[in-house]
Amino acid sequence: MQLEKISAFRSELAIAETIEEIKHLDTKASALAEIARKGKMSKSAQDEVGAFRCDIEAKKGAWLDEYFPHGGDGSNQYKKVLSSNDSTLAEHGIDKHQSSNARLVNKEQELVAEAIEEIKQDDKKVVTPSAVVSLVRNK
């Protein structure tokens, strides 16, 4: 049942265009991960949910790179408006830590895939975006 929901969520993620849509999917996937954990679902099912949450992070990172690029005119994305819609990341409910993690997952997809596989092989760990980011940062 959980994997059927992930399939439906993947379809939603594919067409998500706004950060609000992406964050809504993230909330749903986080809830699904918690249900899987508390329901003592198999490790592979929990890993599948975690890997999907990493896909959401990558999509969030791509959105951030498009609408709030680093560098550019040298301005600060948290204080000065960079997007055409006159908003800041804080107004979208995204802090520096979340932005950094999402951008990393988006840019380092090969390392992310390796980290996911490494965690899947570890019987004591479950794939989560934070575990993946931690492994990628340490490589």
Side-chain angles (χ1 to χ4, degrees):
M1 182 165 140
Q2 304 295 358
L3 299 181
E4 292 170 3
K5 288 181 183 178
I6 291 175
S7 180
F9 290 168
R10 283 193 190 283
S11 298
E12 287 182 54
L13 184 61
I15 61 172
E17 293 181 6
T18 67
I19 195 64
E20 290 77 17
E21 292 170 328
I22 296 166
K23 286 174 56 180
H24 181 69
L25 275 170
D26 189 29
T27 300
K28 290 187 340 185
S30 295
L32 187 61
E34 187 65 13
I35 290 167
R37 186 184 68 78
K38 285 186 176 181
K40 302 199 187 296
M41 301 282 297
S42 70
K43 179 181 176 337
S44 64
Q46 292 181 57
D47 285 343
E48 185 68 26
V49 174
F52 174 65
R53 291 179 64 208
C54 290
D55 293 343
I56 294 171
E57 283 298 298
K59 180 94 175 204
K60 188 185 306 177
W63 185 91
L64 289 166
D65 285 342
E66 182 175 346
Y67 293 99
F68 291 89
H70 275 149
D73 63 2
S75 59
N76 183 320
Q77 63 185 331
Y78 300 96
K79 295 178 182 169
K80 185 176 179 183
V81 175
L82 290 179
S83 72
S84 61
N85 63 0
D86 288 345
S87 64
T88 64
L89 285 180
E91 290 169 343
H92 289 291
I94 299 172
D95 64 29
K96 292 178 183 181
H97 179 74
Q98 293 167 327
S99 172
S100 175
N101 288 348
R103 290 173 195 270
L104 177 73
V105 171
N106 182 49
K107 287 187 174 121
E108 300 294 342
Q109 292 181 10
E110 188 173 309
L111 289 175
V112 167
E114 290 173 12
I116 289 171
E117 286 307 311
E118 186 176 325
I119 294 169
K120 283 181 176 181
Q121 300 305 315
D122 187 332
D123 292 337
K124 297 177 185 172
K125 294 182 182 177
V126 175
V127 175
T128 65
S130 60
V132 169
V133 166
S134 180
L135 272 179
V136 170
R137 287 196 193 280
N138 290 325
K139 289 192 180 226

